[in-house]
Amino acid sequence: MDACLATGVHYVDTANYEPQDTAKFEYSWQWAYKERFEKAGLTALLGSGFDPGVTGVFTAYAQKHYFDEIHTIDIVDANAGDHGYPFATNFNPEINIREITANGRYFENGEWIETAPLSEKKVYDLPEIGPKDIYLLYHEELESLAVNIKGVKKIRFWMTFSQNYLTHLKVLENVGMTSIEPIMYEGKEIVPLQFLKAILPDPASLGPRTKGKTNIGCIIQGTKDGKPKTYYVYNVCDHEECYAEVGSQAISYTTGVPAMIGAMLIIKGIWKKPGVFNVEEFDPDPFMEALNKHGLPWQEDFSPTLLD
């Protein structure tokens, strides 16, 4: 963001800022740039990936077209892909493992409630994927949606993990390999998690061997014309189809396409205004239209199964 201000160009990212020495992320650092971007006449678009990103646009679209009030948002991120390795992460292992081993957190009635890591579990039957174990995590879009979706009472984020994945992760955690605290090894200081990242398969190498699909979407509850209303909007992406098209698996595809769309909307002047903004603060319609055109078509369900 400093570089964009110094060179006079707009800013787009796909995820939250996360300090290297602390396993946490929050928007306060980036929201603090609001006045500087306004004065420079530049746009900073935060979280233009899938989650955060499309999930925020999905919510804004629901708010604009289907609800007078949104009360509950459940974001469900499911990856049913199989890469054949005993253990590997689908994106940067360091970030992935830090997210999963941190405390869960969700927003309810104006307060943030913490849970022990992976302690909240449900089973959800996802379209085209089937029943999967989903676990409550903290994810950065919860923070911005709690601010930008007025009147919302509860927001949660859920992600799928297999028992095999969780067993490997627990063993690595028990022996200290997921720690971000530096240790001395043969006279050199190393961070165990960074060492683990170096020996795990590179996520970029998973593309040609990953089969199956992802399903990421938002289950939303609220009211319209004084009556209860439910809505589920989601995208299903096929790993093999993504690899055939761009040489990457679906995790890269579902992040890269929304980043392109966000940049395109700024360049065209559609989402261009001075300041710092999360995606849900803009008109969702042109983004939703572009998703259908550029490989991430979305589907709707007006009577979804709800999460308790």
Side-chain angles (χ1 to χ4, degrees):
M1 295 180 84
D2 288 329
C4 287
L5 289 170
T7 55
V9 298
H10 303 294
Y11 173 89
V12 179
D13 67 29
T14 60
N16 213 173
Y17 172 71
E18 185 174 352
Q20 279 195 322
D21 56 353
T22 310
K24 65 179 289 187
F25 38 71
E26 60 185 63
Y27 276 119
S28 62
W29 297 292
Q30 292 172 283
W31 286 344
Y33 278 74
K34 181 174 173 27
E35 287 188 9
R36 278 173 278 181
F37 272 80
E38 286 175 349
K39 289 178 181 176
L42 297 171
T43 301
L45 181 62
L46 306 184
S48 191
F50 207 107
D51 46 337
V54 175
T55 51
V57 177
F58 279 170
T59 303
Y61 184 82
Q63 181 175 246
K64 178 179 178 179
H65 293 281
Y66 298 127
F67 291 87
D68 294 326
E69 290 183 359
I70 287 177
H71 297 154
T72 302
I73 305 165
D74 279 298
I75 299 167
V76 181
D77 181 334
N79 179 17
D82 182 4
H83 45 60
Y85 286 115
F87 182 81
T89 62
N90 292 294
F91 60 96
N92 185 324
E94 190 174 355
I95 295 173
N96 182 242
I97 291 172
R98 280 169 65 153
E99 280 187 10
I100 297 164
T101 56
N103 282 343
R105 195 174 173 214
Y106 65 94
F107 179 81
E108 186 169 22
N109 296 324
E111 297 183 351
W112 290 101
I113 300 167
E114 285 205 350
T115 62
L118 304 177
S119 61
E120 298 286 327
K121 172 193 168 185
K122 296 182 183 294
V123 177
Y124 195 75
D125 192 353
L126 292 127
E128 299 187 42
I129 289 177
K132 297 292 176 187
D133 292 338
I134 60 172
Y135 295 84
L136 189 145
L137 304 179
Y138 177 64
H139 225 239
E140 57 255 53
E141 66 262 50
L142 303 190
E143 182 184 16
S144 69
L145 290 172
V147 172
N148 294 323
I149 305 300
K150 302 306 178 187
V152 69
K153 297 175 182 176
K154 190 173 187 177
I155 314 175
R156 299 177 295 187
F157 181 94
W158 306 85
M159 186 174 280
T160 57
F161 301 103
S162 69
Q163 286 305 309
N164 176 66
Y165 182 94
L166 294 178
T167 299
H168 277 81
L169 183 63
K170 191 63 180 176
V171 172
L172 291 167
E173 189 175 11
N174 285 345
V175 298
M177 286 302 299
T178 63
S179 172
I180 61 172
E181 295 299 322
I183 63 167
M184 295 302 296
Y185 176 72
E186 294 187 347
K188 295 180 181 179
E189 192 176 79
I190 67 167
V191 174
L193 181 54
Q194 292 177 355
F195 176 76
L196 178 62
K197 173 185 174 181
I199 60 175
L200 286 174
D202 180 353
S205 72
L206 302 179
R209 44 186 302 147
T210 304
K211 305 180 189 309
K213 297 178 179 181
T214 64
N215 180 319
I216 312 173
C218 300
I219 305 164
I220 299 170
Q221 302 174 63
T223 58
K224 179 68 174 178
D225 299 326
K227 298 177 181 178
K229 188 174 184 67
T230 60
Y231 176 64
Y232 178 28
V233 55
Y234 61 92
N235 163 264
V236 174
C237 206
D238 187 288
H239 285 287
E240 291 180 279
E241 289 178 6
C242 291
Y243 188 77
E245 182 184 342
V246 298
S248 293
Q249 37 110 336
I251 305 300
S252 300
Y253 195 98
T254 55
T255 304
V257 170
M260 175 277 293
I261 293 172
M264 176 181 70
L265 294 177
I266 292 174
I267 290 167
K268 288 186 172 182
I270 299 170
W271 274 17
K272 184 180 177 183
K273 59 182 179 179
V276 176
F277 304 95
N278 293 88
V279 291
E280 65 269 14
E281 296 180 80
F282 288 102
D283 180 9
D285 290 1
F287 198 108
M288 293 289 278
E289 183 181 350
L291 287 170
N292 282 333
K293 288 181 179 177
H294 298 289
L296 292 177
W298 40 275
Q299 301 178 60
E300 298 175 300
D301 181 351
F302 292 90
S303 57
T305 301
L306 301 177
L307 290 162
D308 296 332

